[in-house]
Amino acid sequence: MLGQLNLPLLLAVVAVLLGSPPSLAFSLNAPASAAKSPDTFVILGGTGRIGTAVASHLLLRAPGSRITLVGRNQDRGSAAVSEVLGENPSVSNDNVTFQRCDWRNDAELRLVIAEECTCLIHTAGPFLEEKPTPLRAAIDAGCRAYIDVSDPLDYLDLSLAMNSDAEESGTTAMLSSGAFPGFSNVLAVEAASLCRENSDEGASIQDTRFNYFTAGLGGSGDVNLYITNLGFGEPMAQYENGKLRMFKALSGLLLGKTSFFLSEKEWSNKPSDGFGNDEAKARVGEQTVFAWPFPEAATVPAELGARGESSAAMGTAPDVWNDMLGLLVALVPRQLWRSKRFSQFLADFSQPLVKATDYLLKLSSPDDVGETHAMRVDVTSTDGGAVSVVQAHESFRRCVGQSCAEFALDLLEHPSPGVQLPEQRYRCDSSRGRIIKQLTSTPGTFAYTGPVAVSSASPPSELGKALKKANEAEVKQ
């Protein structure tokens, strides 16, 4: 009879009768493995400037994490490990390792993540003309989470098609999870939420506009210029009269000026969590931007059910770079920009001058970083309402890495198996508030206005002229 008794329950009762704390009594029935084991992150593109930024922030936020940086070059791998450990001196050397692997070799990649991988993070761009094989490998391996910084729409479509497979494997995957796209998508949903709250009954979202600024290369490394060049050969996917349209001759056209701060005289509400608008005005101010095929100009309006227009643009500093790029786009046929060989050649040719400019930007920067980044997201409604958000950071590279890392940690802490875009995962006010709190409190963030109701949210000053020019060019083709 004694063998049939519930021994843990009997011990608990005896402990309570003897005056022992209930927690002690019930801990006798707790499994020995109750303590959470550290998460293991495998970072593709781990030797790149974005990959190391992701790793550093993961270790800042979760010091016990194990990081594997994946790349093709052993020397660069050793340097990347040293960089990450140097930025996190309290972390054990064993927690950051390098694994030599070409992620495009599916067999090699699967061996790397088969050993131990809680979360696979893919930062090895450019993603143009690539297939989402890392996502497939993560799903097949049963990784708990997957994150990437992808941007081509066809890549996103192929990835989203794996949703049911990810649900079955228990993999929570999110695409386009950097600063822009990524953080910016979440801010657009946040702005739309306030816009709807302030709108008349029956009103819908009208326009969504994304404008970005990065000083020089923003510390992101040589590949950023190469990716930018490739984008000039791609069509712009954005909304026109509530319908998605592919503008074949718009990428790279100068759109005029955008203010990366909000005019306080236009505010009808000042968010309690907003900060740094004056600093954004002083450090970034008004900048020239040019059209670039960011996917959020297509995916976010679709999520919001927008009825009007969308646009996406970016600018850099010094302003002469914007003018030079605009001139090159006007002179060079778009089929040449689509050539990886040509775009890489032009990026390599420009490197000495770009790096010299980045050095001068660092010397003149108040934070001695010289990689300033800013985003402005505007959303309007059909009844004339408008909401704007501005965010700014001292380093584009770190902002991308921090955003990617925060998204990864959020996926692990709040799993929802499947494949999603940021605007889909953070539809809910509570989940969106949770991630925005993390994204806007990262080291180096110097401005976040929060969503602000404004009297109007004007597009870049020359957008209308650029659209007219693009339409005329398409007719000639």
Side-chain angles (χ1 to χ4, degrees):
M1 292 293 292
L2 185 59
Q4 295 176 334
L5 292 176
N6 187 327
L7 185 57
L9 180 59
L10 179 61
L11 290 172
V13 171
V14 171
V16 172
L17 291 174
L18 292 175
S20 300
S23 59
L24 175 61
F26 286 103
S27 69
L28 296 173
N29 200 27
S33 59
K36 182 180 179 295
S37 58
D39 291 318
T40 300
F41 297 88
V42 175
I43 304 177
L44 307 184
T47 64
R49 303 299 294 146
I50 301 300
T52 53
V54 174
S56 287
H57 193 68
L58 286 172
L59 291 171
L60 175 68
R61 289 270 284 108
S65 300
R66 297 187 177 277
I67 310 286
T68 298
L69 304 177
V70 174
R72 293 176 293 180
N73 185 286
Q74 184 66 50
D75 291 339
R76 289 188 63 188
S78 299
V81 169
S82 297
E83 176 188 335
V84 173
L85 288 173
E87 292 180 353
N88 298 272
S90 62
V91 173
S92 168
N93 288 6
D94 295 335
N95 281 34
V96 184
T97 59
F98 170 72
Q99 177 67 52
R100 187 174 179 179
C101 168
D102 182 352
W103 67 265
R104 292 181 178 85
N105 185 318
D106 193 51
E108 283 188 19
L109 174 60
R110 287 173 182 267
L111 281 176
V112 171
I113 65 175
E115 295 179 11
E116 189 179 8
C117 178
T118 309
C119 177
L120 179 62
I121 301 176
H122 186 9
T123 69
F127 291 81
L128 191 65
E129 298 180 359
E130 298 289 352
K131 303 296 182 186
T133 51
L135 172 58
R136 169 53 63 191
I139 291 172
D140 291 348
C143 296
R144 285 172 50 206
Y146 168 90
I147 283 280
D148 70 32
V149 292
S150 58
D151 46 21
L153 285 173
D154 55 354
Y155 190 99
L156 301 184
D157 288 340
L158 290 171
S159 299
L160 291 167
M162 300 183 201
N163 179 66
S164 55
D165 292 342
E167 289 178 339
E168 281 187 30
S169 74
T171 300
T172 301
M174 195 166 75
L175 317 169
S176 301
S177 301
F180 53 84
F183 189 176
S184 59
N185 303 40
V186 180
L187 293 182
V189 179
E190 182 76 348
S193 178
L194 180 60
C195 206
R196 288 192 177 105
E197 184 181 316
N198 294 344
S199 295
D200 298 333
E201 186 176 350
S204 301
I205 297 301
Q206 178 72 9
D207 300 332
T208 50
R209 305 204 182 279
F210 300 88
N211 289 288
Y212 309 127
F213 168 77
T214 301
L217 289 178
S220 60
D222 301 353
V223 73
N224 195 38
L225 189 57
Y226 173 42
I227 292 172
T228 302
N229 290 345
L230 286 173
F232 293 146
E234 295 300 302
M236 285 286 299
Q238 58 187 51
Y239 271 62
E240 182 181 61
N241 298 322
K243 294 181 180 180
L244 184 62
R245 178 183 164 186
M246 308 299 285
F247 288 82
K248 298 178 182 178
L250 182 57
S251 300
L253 295 190
L254 296 178
L255 306 184
K257 298 284 188 177
T258 288
S259 296
F260 288 92
F261 63 93
L262 303 180
S263 174
E264 293 192 21
K265 65 182 180 182
E266 295 180 332
W267 291 11
S268 60
N269 75 302
K270 187 171 183 178
S272 58
D273 59 348
F275 61 91
N277 185 60
D278 289 342
E279 190 169 356
K281 182 178 181 180
R283 293 179 61 170
V284 185
E286 192 177 65
Q287 298 288 341
T288 300
V289 294
F290 54 84
W292 203 85
F294 293 102
E296 54 268 42
T299 64
V300 172
E303 170 66 22
L304 299 178
R307 303 290 184 86
E309 323 295 323
S310 70
S311 63
M314 66 179 295
T316 187
D319 199 37
V320 64
W321 282 118
N322 299 309
D323 295 331
M324 288 175 61
L325 287 170
L327 180 61
L328 281 171
V329 168
L331 294 175
V332 177
R334 292 192 180 271
Q335 60 266 28
L336 268 181
W337 291 109
R338 295 188 192 102
S339 165
K340 290 187 176 182
R341 179 177 294 182
F342 173 79
S343 285
Q344 184 67 70
F345 165 77
L346 199 59
D348 293 342
F349 180 79
S350 307
Q351 274 307 313
L353 188 56
V354 172
K355 288 184 176 179
T357 302
D358 282 358
Y359 178 72
L360 293 175
L361 286 170
K362 181 178 181 179
L363 291 179
S364 62
S365 172
D367 51 28
D368 197 32
V369 177
E371 303 170 2
T372 307
H373 142 94
M375 304 190 290
R376 175 170 180 154
V377 179
D378 302 297
V379 177
T380 67
S381 61
T382 52
D383 65 354
V387 173
S388 300
V389 187
V390 169
Q391 178 268 354
H393 194 286
E394 67 183 23
S395 167
F396 168 69
R397 171 203 171 224
R398 292 199 176 278
C399 187
V400 175
Q402 291 167 350
S403 299
C404 189
E406 289 293 348
F407 283 132
L409 293 169
D410 190 69
L411 262 60
L412 289 172
E413 188 172 350
H414 304 276
S416 55
V419 183
Q420 293 181 303
L421 294 166
E423 62 266 30
Q424 296 170 330
R425 175 172 170 83
Y426 299 107
R427 289 170 179 147
C428 172
D429 289 349
S430 59
S431 64
R432 194 170 60 254
R434 178 185 72 230
I435 193 63
I436 288 176
K437 180 180 179 181
Q438 294 301 131
L439 292 171
T440 56
S441 59
T442 55
T445 300
F446 64 82
Y448 172 63
T449 63
V452 177
V454 293
S455 58
S456 64
S458 301
S461 59
E462 304 294 324
L463 176 61
K465 290 182 180 179
L467 289 171
K468 182 180 179 182
K469 185 177 180 179
N471 285 326
E472 290 173 349
E474 284 193 31
V475 170
K476 292 178 182 179
Q477 291 175 357

